[in-house]
């Protein structure tokens, strides 16, 4: 995102929303406005602010510091402003302190970022009105496991990872699930990331008889493994995780490389109009821009529906689908996304696209 242009647009978005204060829905937007997370906060504020302004509703913008014990003050600000629902919430630290007070005020919170399993368990136990548009921290592994079992179960599989916490935990979760199903990899290893070549690794993969390889590592490492396998004339089908959504540099990714990743929301047909409007206003619809835009669509619809009966807004968020700029969204009984958003995609001609068939 062009942050300077996005931030320049924000005052206009907030002013436009504020001038329509008589409108029926008041929505809090909680996002960092300064500090290390200001760029991500600008994405949330730009997306949410654009949709609130478009609807003529009222925005209440609250700075999120992401510091421990900061949530209670943020909740107080939202309650004082009489918001009906709040969106954004980049950090779990904010929600931990804010949710008890938001529960007492009947103000639901929709996070576009936080993936913590423990926080959602606490929310369910305490009846906190938290709804999560971000996938659970187990969703990536669950989709990868599903796809490997579906498409690679009869092939010699290898699992390699880069030794980082995420790479190791993701790969271990996959290995455990596969072995529970009786599918034991022919090769597992930890490679050293960030190297100029991975010839020794691809030779070990060949010696082990691996044909299909899951790589728990960064896009740049996957690109190097693919290049070196091709140079050694070793046929390997490579699959990565969400870390593959990164810049295609310094080495371009080979066509045919697979990834289980979140979709490119800006490329969805239902996003076309919003994308054009955002870009016309100087905001590139990347990162949290469109999820925040969609969160406002959901929040506004639930608040409008709540105005027609005596049920609180939170009861209008669960159990029904919402058509949004990023597709149809529904929350399950645990206030999680009803559908896992991770998809199998294949790199072709400079973009991740839907593969033509099973990942063979």
């Amino acid at each position: 995102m062009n942050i300077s242009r996005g931030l320049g647009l924000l005052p206009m978005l907030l002013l436009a929303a504020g001038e329509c204060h008589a409108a029926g829905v008041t929505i809090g937007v909680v996002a960092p406005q300064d500090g290390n997370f200001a760029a991500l906060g600008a994405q949330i504020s730009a997306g949410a602010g654009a949709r609130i302004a478009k609807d003529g509703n009222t925005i209440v913008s609250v700075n999120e510091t992401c510091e421990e014990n900061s949530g209670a003050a943020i909740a107080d600000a939202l309650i004082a402003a009489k918001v009906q629902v709040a969106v954004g919430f980049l950090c779990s630290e904010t929600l931990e302190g804010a949710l008890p007070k938001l529960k007492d005020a009947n103000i639901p919170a929709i996070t576009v970022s936080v993936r913590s399993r423990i926080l959602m368990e606490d929310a369910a136990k305490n009846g906190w009105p938290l709804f999560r548009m971000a996938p659970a921290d187990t969703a990536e592994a669950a989709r990868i496991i599903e796809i490997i079992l579906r498409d690679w179960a009869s092939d010699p599989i290898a699992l390699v990872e880069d030794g980082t916490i995420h790479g190791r935990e993701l790969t271990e979760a996959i290995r455990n699930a596969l072995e529970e199903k009786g599918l034991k990899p022919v090769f597992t290893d930890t490679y050293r990331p960030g190297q100029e070549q991975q010839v020794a690794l691809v030779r070990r993969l060949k010696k082990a008889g691996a044909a299909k390889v899951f790589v728990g590592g960064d896009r740049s490492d996957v690109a190097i493994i693919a290049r070196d396998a091709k140079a050694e004339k070793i046929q390997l089908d490579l699959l990565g995780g969400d870390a593959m959504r990164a810049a295609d540099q310094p080495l371009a990714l080979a066509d045919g490389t697979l990834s289980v990743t979140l979709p490119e929301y800006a490329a969805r047909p239902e996003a076309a109009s919003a994308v054009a409007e955002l870009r016309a206003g100087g905001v590139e619809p990347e990162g949290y821009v469109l999820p925040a835009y969609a969160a406002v669509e959901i929040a506004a619809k639930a608040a409008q529906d709540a105005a027609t009966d005596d049920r609180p807004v939170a009861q209008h968020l669960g159990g029904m689908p919402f058509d949004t700029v990023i597709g149809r969204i529904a929350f399950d009984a645990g206030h999680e996304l009803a559908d896992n958003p991770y998809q199998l995609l294949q790199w072709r001609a400079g973009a991740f696209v839907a593969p033509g068939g099973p990942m063979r």
Side-chain angles (χ1 to χ4, degrees), residues 106 108 302 306 309-317:
N106 284 324
D309 59 31
D310 295 329
R311 294 187 297 149
V313 176
Q315 290 188 21
H316 290 271
L317 285 168

Side-chain angles (χ1 to χ4, degrees), residues 143-144 147 150-152 219 238-242 244-245 253-265 267-268 341-348 351-359:
R143 184 67 83 202
I144 293 169
I147 290 168
R150 184 192 72 194
D151 294 343
W152 281 2
R219 180 190 182 109
L238 301 177
L239 170 67
D242 199 45
M244 299 286 280
R245 287 194 307 143
L253 195 62
D255 277 1
T257 305
L258 295 156
S259 177
V260 171
T261 184
L262 294 175
E264 181 56 59
Y265 293 124
R268 298 180 72 105
Y342 283 99
Q343 299 178 354
L344 175 65
L345 299 174
Q346 186 176 53
W347 185 255
R348 290 204 304 268
F352 275 117
V353 297
M359 53 174 196

